[in-house]
Amino acid sequence: MAELLINDMKMEGHINPELQGQFSEHLGRGIYEGIFVKEDSGIPNVNGMRQDVVNALKKIHVPVLRWPGGCFADEYHWMDGIGPRDQRKKMVNTNWGGVIEDNSFGTHEYFELLSQLGCKSYINGNVGSGTVREMSEWMEYMMFGGKSPMADLRRANGHDAPWHVDWFGVGNENWGCGGNMRPAYYADLYRRYQSFLRQYDPEHPVKKVACGPNSGDQNWTRKVLDACCEGVAPEQHGLMDGLSLHYYTVPTGVWSHKGSSLDFSEEEWYQTFRQTLVMEDLIRAHSAIMDQYDPEKQIGMVVDEWGTWYDVEPGTNPGFLYQQNTTRDAIVAGINLNIFNKHCDRVKMTCIAQTINVLQSMILTEGEKMTLTPTYHVFDLYHHHQDAELLESTLTGDEMTGTKGEVPVEIPALSESVSEKDGVITVTMTNADLAKAYPVNIRFASARPSKVTGRIVTGAMNAHNTVDQTDNVKAEDFTEARITGDGVAFEIPPRSVVLLQFC
Ligand code: AHR
């Protein structure tokens, strides 16, 4: 029997909508085919954006979309992606499959997509192979409303009004694909590049994100913060608004054989969640370092790449990172989103990798057909947390679960987070146990809800959707929760993610 105590008298921080952000890179079929099909493809679209995908993404309230990479960002030269499409310079996408990138999706197309989705912008600039001038002129092109060479070029290319850049990443994985730099060297580059990212709209300053660590690399975090804060006034918080963190769930923990998305054992099931729970350790460890340099928590932790990473589907291009998505992925998403909520005092944005057809996607497409993944349905449950206040919650009596093979993989069966918005209390909970349902008693410090509603995503261990069988895993009504004398009681089924709302 688990007990969930909700202290509705204690708010612990604001859950930025951006905690449920997305990431789309020029990688495989993520952008091309996944969302941008061009006007004459025969697939229903508006200005080239396929409408089945846009409509589905609107339903989960995508708050922000990171683009154009990823590793691709540090090879991307934005000027190649503007002007008449048939005259744009082509390039080899050396990071992802060596295919020809025709640059038909560029800055104008990105902002067109954002306007259709109604979400914020997060652009990742090129430090690895780009210049300060290039990055600075991109900002002028996008954001300057007056007369200037770049603003006039934007107008000549058909967009009169400036766009707004909400977040700007100064390089990506500069410890790896973004230049193999050492932290002090990157930090100096960060200081220099960010100096020329002008604030053209002082009312809505662009938030600058520095490249943060690769999973557990605390040395990178410490050295970058040390060098960026040196000689800088505390109120300038290291000249940054965010520091990124990348961490992927690789079930085996071994990159050379990550495991299959569909064909996995019970042990791999639990191993996957054990790897997922590392996210909380990482957030704690890097937060502790950030606290030393930024006790006021002005620098947001930006987990702008997370999600499952398996071996690619057999027969697909290894450079395209295409993988299926099962009930296991739904629970991984639920656990991670609960962790992010619980650390919303420091975590200000996250972007799951990646929205369509790449890694842990929301949507998979095949030609004109598409399907929503189990992960999509979890985002559909969790969007109620967006812009809500995190409530203190304590889960006790939870049991450890997992198989005991050669490697013990015991993990807590349940995870949870709780928020309140407009008088409605939202609880999201996951149960990673393969076989066991857990009775849960919810008690409130002061609230006495009179009504409870619920939704659930559940399925067999490797249940998944395809473009021909789209409803194997979906969000359904969950009516098991009952108001009791002093709270709410229900049983959380095995292999499930549950949403409960009280008023
Ligand atoms: O999301 C795929 C890749 O993973 C990104 O391009 C890179 O930043 C990371 O290594």
PDB file of all heavy atoms in Angstrom, residues 23 25 27 70-72 96 172-173 177 246 248 305 309 321 353-354 359, ligand 1:
ATOM      1  N   PHE A  23      12.287  18.873 -29.514  1.00  0.00           N
ATOM      2  CA  PHE A  23      13.529  19.111 -30.257  1.00  0.00           C
ATOM      3  C   PHE A  23      13.402  18.463 -31.631  1.00  0.00           C
ATOM      4  O   PHE A  23      13.061  17.279 -31.735  1.00  0.00           O
ATOM      5  CB  PHE A  23      14.688  18.501 -29.452  1.00  0.00           C
ATOM      6  CG  PHE A  23      16.005  18.392 -30.177  1.00  0.00           C
ATOM      7  CD1 PHE A  23      16.451  19.389 -31.036  1.00  0.00           C
ATOM      8  CD2 PHE A  23      16.825  17.282 -29.977  1.00  0.00           C
ATOM      9  CE1 PHE A  23      17.675  19.281 -31.683  1.00  0.00           C
ATOM     10  CE2 PHE A  23      18.050  17.167 -30.620  1.00  0.00           C
ATOM     11  CZ  PHE A  23      18.471  18.171 -31.474  1.00  0.00           C
ATOM     12  N   GLU A  25      15.638  18.155 -35.217  1.00  0.00           N
ATOM     13  CA  GLU A  25      16.918  18.420 -35.873  1.00  0.00           C
ATOM     14  C   GLU A  25      16.833  18.035 -37.344  1.00  0.00           C
ATOM     15  O   GLU A  25      15.966  17.240 -37.736  1.00  0.00           O
ATOM     16  CB  GLU A  25      17.981  17.565 -35.158  1.00  0.00           C
ATOM     17  CG  GLU A  25      19.372  17.651 -35.737  1.00  0.00           C
ATOM     18  CD  GLU A  25      20.421  17.002 -34.825  1.00  0.00           C
ATOM     19  OE1 GLU A  25      20.053  16.291 -33.875  1.00  0.00           O
ATOM     20  OE2 GLU A  25      21.620  17.234 -35.086  1.00  0.00           O
ATOM     21  N   LEU A  27      17.721  15.721 -39.247  1.00  0.00           N
ATOM     22  CA  LEU A  27      18.221  14.358 -38.987  1.00  0.00           C
ATOM     23  C   LEU A  27      17.188  13.370 -39.508  1.00  0.00           C
ATOM     24  O   LEU A  27      16.028  13.409 -39.079  1.00  0.00           O
ATOM     25  CB  LEU A  27      18.412  14.197 -37.463  1.00  0.00           C
ATOM     26  CG  LEU A  27      19.239  13.043 -36.900  1.00  0.00           C
ATOM     27  CD1 LEU A  27      19.328  13.130 -35.383  1.00  0.00           C
ATOM     28  CD2 LEU A  27      18.822  11.683 -37.329  1.00  0.00           C
ATOM     29  N   GLY A  70      21.202  20.126 -31.887  1.00  0.00           N
ATOM     30  CA  GLY A  70      21.896  18.930 -32.263  1.00  0.00           C
ATOM     31  C   GLY A  70      23.254  19.191 -32.947  1.00  0.00           C
ATOM     32  O   GLY A  70      23.690  20.325 -33.157  1.00  0.00           O
ATOM     33  N   CYS A  71      23.897  18.080 -33.204  1.00  0.00           N
ATOM     34  CA  CYS A  71      25.186  18.134 -33.885  1.00  0.00           C
ATOM     35  C   CYS A  71      25.085  18.923 -35.196  1.00  0.00           C
ATOM     36  O   CYS A  71      26.035  19.582 -35.610  1.00  0.00           O
ATOM     37  CB  CYS A  71      25.699  16.723 -34.154  1.00  0.00           C
ATOM     38  SG  CYS A  71      26.062  15.798 -32.649  1.00  0.00           S
ATOM     39  N   PHE A  72      23.913  18.848 -35.840  1.00  0.00           N
ATOM     40  CA  PHE A  72      23.745  19.555 -37.111  1.00  0.00           C
ATOM     41  C   PHE A  72      23.953  21.059 -36.930  1.00  0.00           C
ATOM     42  O   PHE A  72      24.438  21.744 -37.835  1.00  0.00           O
ATOM     43  CB  PHE A  72      22.339  19.279 -37.667  1.00  0.00           C
ATOM     44  CG  PHE A  72      22.059  19.938 -38.982  1.00  0.00           C
ATOM     45  CD1 PHE A  72      22.536  19.380 -40.173  1.00  0.00           C
ATOM     46  CD2 PHE A  72      21.328  21.119 -39.055  1.00  0.00           C
ATOM     47  CE1 PHE A  72      22.284  19.993 -41.394  1.00  0.00           C
ATOM     48  CE2 PHE A  72      21.069  21.733 -40.272  1.00  0.00           C
ATOM     49  CZ  PHE A  72      21.549  21.170 -41.444  1.00  0.00           C
ATOM     50  N   TRP A  96      24.577  12.957 -40.002  1.00  0.00           N
ATOM     51  CA  TRP A  96      23.417  12.079 -40.019  1.00  0.00           C
ATOM     52  C   TRP A  96      23.200  11.442 -41.386  1.00  0.00           C
ATOM     53  O   TRP A  96      22.397  11.908 -42.188  1.00  0.00           O
ATOM     54  CB  TRP A  96      22.168  12.843 -39.542  1.00  0.00           C
ATOM     55  CG  TRP A  96      22.414  13.469 -38.197  1.00  0.00           C
ATOM     56  CD1 TRP A  96      22.368  14.789 -37.875  1.00  0.00           C
ATOM     57  CD2 TRP A  96      22.753  12.773 -36.981  1.00  0.00           C
ATOM     58  NE1 TRP A  96      22.672  14.970 -36.539  1.00  0.00           N
ATOM     59  CE2 TRP A  96      22.912  13.750 -35.968  1.00  0.00           C
ATOM     60  CE3 TRP A  96      22.965  11.425 -36.646  1.00  0.00           C
ATOM     61  CZ2 TRP A  96      23.264  13.414 -34.650  1.00  0.00           C
ATOM     62  CZ3 TRP A  96      23.315  11.101 -35.331  1.00  0.00           C
ATOM     63  CH2 TRP A  96      23.455  12.081 -34.356  1.00  0.00           C
ATOM     64  N   ASN A 172      26.293  23.571 -29.490  1.00  0.00           N
ATOM     65  CA  ASN A 172      25.690  22.324 -29.007  1.00  0.00           C
ATOM     66  C   ASN A 172      26.786  21.297 -28.766  1.00  0.00           C
ATOM     67  O   ASN A 172      27.658  21.101 -29.623  1.00  0.00           O
ATOM     68  CB  ASN A 172      24.724  21.765 -30.066  1.00  0.00           C
ATOM     69  CG  ASN A 172      24.305  20.325 -29.752  1.00  0.00           C
ATOM     70  OD1 ASN A 172      23.498  20.103 -28.851  1.00  0.00           O
ATOM     71  ND2 ASN A 172      24.860  19.357 -30.479  1.00  0.00           N
ATOM     72  N   GLU A 173      26.734  20.643 -27.652  1.00  0.00           N
ATOM     73  CA  GLU A 173      27.698  19.574 -27.332  1.00  0.00           C
ATOM     74  C   GLU A 173      29.099  19.964 -27.784  1.00  0.00           C
ATOM     75  O   GLU A 173      29.764  19.210 -28.512  1.00  0.00           O
ATOM     76  CB  GLU A 173      27.243  18.229 -27.939  1.00  0.00           C
ATOM     77  CG  GLU A 173      25.960  17.737 -27.324  1.00  0.00           C
ATOM     78  CD  GLU A 173      25.621  16.278 -27.608  1.00  0.00           C
ATOM     79  OE1 GLU A 173      26.305  15.627 -28.403  1.00  0.00           O
ATOM     80  OE2 GLU A 173      24.643  15.783 -27.001  1.00  0.00           O
ATOM     81  N   CYS A 177      30.583  16.620 -30.594  1.00  0.00           N
ATOM     82  CA  CYS A 177      30.405  16.924 -32.021  1.00  0.00           C
ATOM     83  C   CYS A 177      30.495  18.419 -32.325  1.00  0.00           C
ATOM     84  O   CYS A 177      30.772  18.801 -33.455  1.00  0.00           O
ATOM     85  CB  CYS A 177      29.082  16.354 -32.528  1.00  0.00           C
ATOM     86  SG  CYS A 177      27.612  17.098 -31.769  1.00  0.00           S
ATOM     87  N   HIS A 246      22.599  17.241 -21.333  1.00  0.00           N
ATOM     88  CA  HIS A 246      22.122  16.169 -22.222  1.00  0.00           C
ATOM     89  C   HIS A 246      22.276  14.831 -21.521  1.00  0.00           C
ATOM     90  O   HIS A 246      23.351  14.489 -21.040  1.00  0.00           O
ATOM     91  CB  HIS A 246      22.942  16.137 -23.525  1.00  0.00           C
ATOM     92  CG  HIS A 246      22.634  17.286 -24.433  1.00  0.00           C
ATOM     93  ND1 HIS A 246      23.162  17.408 -25.695  1.00  0.00           N
ATOM     94  CD2 HIS A 246      21.825  18.367 -24.264  1.00  0.00           C
ATOM     95  CE1 HIS A 246      22.699  18.515 -26.260  1.00  0.00           C
ATOM     96  NE2 HIS A 246      21.893  19.129 -25.407  1.00  0.00           N
ATOM     97  N   TYR A 248      20.642  10.765 -22.180  1.00  0.00           N
ATOM     98  CA  TYR A 248      19.738   9.829 -22.848  1.00  0.00           C
ATOM     99  C   TYR A 248      19.623   8.543 -22.033  1.00  0.00           C
ATOM    100  O   TYR A 248      20.599   8.104 -21.399  1.00  0.00           O
ATOM    101  CB  TYR A 248      20.270   9.471 -24.241  1.00  0.00           C
ATOM    102  CG  TYR A 248      20.081  10.577 -25.260  1.00  0.00           C
ATOM    103  CD1 TYR A 248      21.082  11.507 -25.513  1.00  0.00           C
ATOM    104  CD2 TYR A 248      18.887  10.693 -25.952  1.00  0.00           C
ATOM    105  CE1 TYR A 248      20.899  12.526 -26.452  1.00  0.00           C
ATOM    106  CE2 TYR A 248      18.696  11.708 -26.891  1.00  0.00           C
ATOM    107  CZ  TYR A 248      19.701  12.619 -27.132  1.00  0.00           C
ATOM    108  OH  TYR A 248      19.509  13.614 -28.058  1.00  0.00           O
ATOM    109  N   GLU A 305      18.154  17.822 -24.397  1.00  0.00           N
ATOM    110  CA  GLU A 305      18.108  16.528 -25.092  1.00  0.00           C
ATOM    111  C   GLU A 305      17.940  15.438 -24.047  1.00  0.00           C
ATOM    112  O   GLU A 305      18.794  15.276 -23.167  1.00  0.00           O
ATOM    113  CB  GLU A 305      19.377  16.287 -25.921  1.00  0.00           C
ATOM    114  CG  GLU A 305      19.445  17.178 -27.146  1.00  0.00           C
ATOM    115  CD  GLU A 305      20.581  16.847 -28.086  1.00  0.00           C
ATOM    116  OE1 GLU A 305      20.988  15.669 -28.140  1.00  0.00           O
ATOM    117  OE2 GLU A 305      21.047  17.772 -28.773  1.00  0.00           O
ATOM    118  N   TRP A 309      17.187   5.993 -26.263  1.00  0.00           N
ATOM    119  CA  TRP A 309      18.012   5.837 -27.476  1.00  0.00           C
ATOM    120  C   TRP A 309      18.314   4.351 -27.603  1.00  0.00           C
ATOM    121  O   TRP A 309      19.039   3.777 -26.796  1.00  0.00           O
ATOM    122  CB  TRP A 309      19.285   6.667 -27.352  1.00  0.00           C
ATOM    123  CG  TRP A 309      20.053   6.840 -28.634  1.00  0.00           C
ATOM    124  CD1 TRP A 309      20.205   5.940 -29.635  1.00  0.00           C
ATOM    125  CD2 TRP A 309      20.798   8.010 -29.037  1.00  0.00           C
ATOM    126  NE1 TRP A 309      20.981   6.456 -30.648  1.00  0.00           N
ATOM    127  CE2 TRP A 309      21.365   7.735 -30.310  1.00  0.00           C
ATOM    128  CE3 TRP A 309      21.046   9.262 -28.474  1.00  0.00           C
ATOM    129  CZ2 TRP A 309      22.167   8.652 -30.990  1.00  0.00           C
ATOM    130  CZ3 TRP A 309      21.841  10.167 -29.153  1.00  0.00           C
ATOM    131  CH2 TRP A 309      22.385   9.880 -30.398  1.00  0.00           C
ATOM    132  N   LEU A 321      18.479   7.275 -37.016  1.00  0.00           N
ATOM    133  CA  LEU A 321      18.025   7.118 -35.624  1.00  0.00           C
ATOM    134  C   LEU A 321      16.513   6.921 -35.496  1.00  0.00           C
ATOM    135  O   LEU A 321      15.863   7.517 -34.628  1.00  0.00           O
ATOM    136  CB  LEU A 321      18.466   8.320 -34.769  1.00  0.00           C
ATOM    137  CG  LEU A 321      19.936   8.736 -34.840  1.00  0.00           C
ATOM    138  CD1 LEU A 321      20.228   9.833 -33.820  1.00  0.00           C
ATOM    139  CD2 LEU A 321      20.878   7.564 -34.640  1.00  0.00           C
ATOM    140  N   ALA A 353      14.081  14.416 -27.276  1.00  0.00           N
ATOM    141  CA  ALA A 353      14.688  14.127 -28.575  1.00  0.00           C
ATOM    142  C   ALA A 353      14.040  12.848 -29.134  1.00  0.00           C
ATOM    143  O   ALA A 353      14.157  11.814 -28.509  1.00  0.00           O
ATOM    144  CB  ALA A 353      16.196  13.946 -28.417  1.00  0.00           C
ATOM    145  N   GLN A 354      13.453  13.003 -30.308  1.00  0.00           N
ATOM    146  CA  GLN A 354      13.081  14.188 -31.056  1.00  0.00           C
ATOM    147  C   GLN A 354      11.636  14.042 -31.536  1.00  0.00           C
ATOM    148  O   GLN A 354      11.155  12.924 -31.648  1.00  0.00           O
ATOM    149  CB  GLN A 354      14.005  14.364 -32.236  1.00  0.00           C
ATOM    150  CG  GLN A 354      15.469  14.517 -31.856  1.00  0.00           C
ATOM    151  CD  GLN A 354      16.355  14.960 -33.030  1.00  0.00           C
ATOM    152  OE1 GLN A 354      15.891  15.317 -34.102  1.00  0.00           O
ATOM    153  NE2 GLN A 354      17.664  14.918 -32.801  1.00  0.00           N
ATOM    154  N   LEU A 359      14.520   8.948 -32.639  1.00  0.00           N
ATOM    155  CA  LEU A 359      14.627   8.610 -31.219  1.00  0.00           C
ATOM    156  C   LEU A 359      13.237   8.538 -30.571  1.00  0.00           C
ATOM    157  O   LEU A 359      12.329   7.931 -31.137  1.00  0.00           O
ATOM    158  CB  LEU A 359      15.583   9.582 -30.505  1.00  0.00           C
ATOM    159  CG  LEU A 359      17.032   9.558 -31.063  1.00  0.00           C
ATOM    160  CD1 LEU A 359      17.904  10.603 -30.393  1.00  0.00           C
ATOM    161  CD2 LEU A 359      17.666   8.186 -30.920  1.00  0.00           C
TER     162      LEU A 359
HETATM  163  O1  AHR B   1      19.586  13.817 -30.779  1.00  0.00           O
HETATM  164  C1  AHR B   1      20.591  13.228 -31.548  1.00  0.00           C
HETATM  165  C2  AHR B   1      21.979  13.782 -31.227  1.00  0.00           C
HETATM  166  O2  AHR B   1      22.325  13.463 -29.924  1.00  0.00           O
HETATM  167  C3  AHR B   1      22.129  15.275 -31.280  1.00  0.00           C
HETATM  168  O3  AHR B   1      22.354  15.750 -32.557  1.00  0.00           O
HETATM  169  C4  AHR B   1      23.333  15.504 -30.430  1.00  0.00           C
HETATM  170  O4  AHR B   1      23.319  16.768 -29.820  1.00  0.00           O
HETATM  171  C5  AHR B   1      23.276  14.361 -29.444  1.00  0.00           C
HETATM  172  O5  AHR B   1      24.504  13.726 -29.342  1.00  0.00           O
END
